[in-house]
Amino acid sequence: MIVGVSGEDAALSMFDDSGLQQRLFAQLAQSESALAAAAALCLGNLARTDAHCTQLAETHPDVVQAAIAWFESGEVRVRHAASGLLKNLCVPAPAKARMVELGLPAVAARNVDTAVVPVQANAIGILRHLANGCAEPTVQALLAQEPDQCALARLLTAVRSTDIDGIRCEGTRLVAAVAKAVYLKRACDAQDLEARGLDLVAPLVRLVVLDGQRHPLLQQESLVALTVLVAASSDNAPYAHAVVRCLVPETAAVGTVSEPTEDDTIEGDTIEANDADDETAEADDAETTAPDSFTNVLKRLLTQSGPVWPQSTMQAKSLITQLTTQLNVQSSPFDPAGLDILRTEILPLTN
């Protein structure tokens, strides 16, 4: 009953009940997973304000450590509850550093491709929140291990192979956050990232094409990340070359897109007993339509055809400007088909 009641906004004041707090802390520290899951759900439901999250992270590190332990090695239900609580704690800026100190980035990075979808969604959300404020340790956690075994490589594989909209969208948002952290905040050596040969461009393009109309904010985030990658490319400009190749429809295969339902959501840091968190429902039974092409989406943004965010139009123009700059300074040849599309179909729309 407490789990259900704690999900109501009117119950947020229960967080200040010291007696209830101590009972929940004690349950989370026990070895009984059912009690720990209930405690984590209650704490996550109650810790939904920045003040509550910061207080819990700063004054009760032992509780956070217990939640991290359950996140990594508990049963499915308690892993979901614990990781949801931890994701809430990663939202306020004052709490991020403490979560890093307690080793959360490495644990979350190990779970970006777990088969337990709710836990995977929370792990991705944790890393995305931490990347905005604690970029360096977050990126380091994603790039630890060998290139083909690092968490970022496994995340890219998961994003490419999933048919769950929420995992694809939130995973791609994390890719975008990594790109900005590396090239704008110098969270790691950019040459080390490029040397790994990871395809950061394809998932960003896929989100722009598949989810732009439903989630214009996510589309804009991906366009920003693509612009950053193209502008910051090294001498061989791998990202600029990849974006030009994606202008060719056969190259930028993105699959199918599901028609949105009333319940389609991406955001939501509240933990409920039946929480679906960042993932949306699978689209197996939804009506599907053929996807648009990256070129057509850029043309629609540049001409502001249909429902288009002005910010997305501005960002699309910035992306094309940076591509044009790379064309003028790079000596290595670009994909001829993509280059022809850029020059004949895209560039005339930017004037």
Side-chain angles (χ1 to χ4, degrees), residues 139-177:
V139 171
Q140 288 176 351
L142 283 165
L143 293 179
Q145 298 180 314
E146 296 301 317
D148 60 340
Q149 298 176 350
C150 71
L152 182 56
R154 292 185 283 108
L155 172 69
L156 291 168
T157 299
V159 168
R160 182 173 61 250
S161 61
T162 186
D163 58 358
I164 301 173
D165 288 350
I167 296 297
R168 184 184 69 250
C169 290
E170 286 298 298
T172 304
R173 295 184 79 185
L174 178 54
V175 173

Side-chain angles (χ1 to χ4, degrees), residues 71-72 79 106-114 119-120 123-124 154:
F71 175 20
E72 186 161 36
R79 288 179 66 201
V107 176
R110 288 194 286 272
N111 284 277
V112 294
D113 60 345
T114 178
V119 176
Q120 179 187 23
I124 292 171
R154 292 185 283 108

Side-chain angles (χ1 to χ4, degrees), residues 1-25 38-39 41-49 52 55-56 60:
M1 185 179 72
I2 295 177
V3 172
V5 171
S6 65
E8 301 295 330
D9 289 345
L12 289 177
S13 60
M14 294 170 61
F15 184 86
D16 298 319
D17 185 329
S18 59
L20 177 60
Q21 269 194 14
Q22 293 305 315
R23 287 183 61 186
L24 294 176
F25 294 166
L41 280 172
C42 287
L43 287 171
N45 285 337
L46 296 175
R48 283 185 281 138
T49 68
H52 288 168
Q55 178 185 344
L56 186 56
H60 301 284

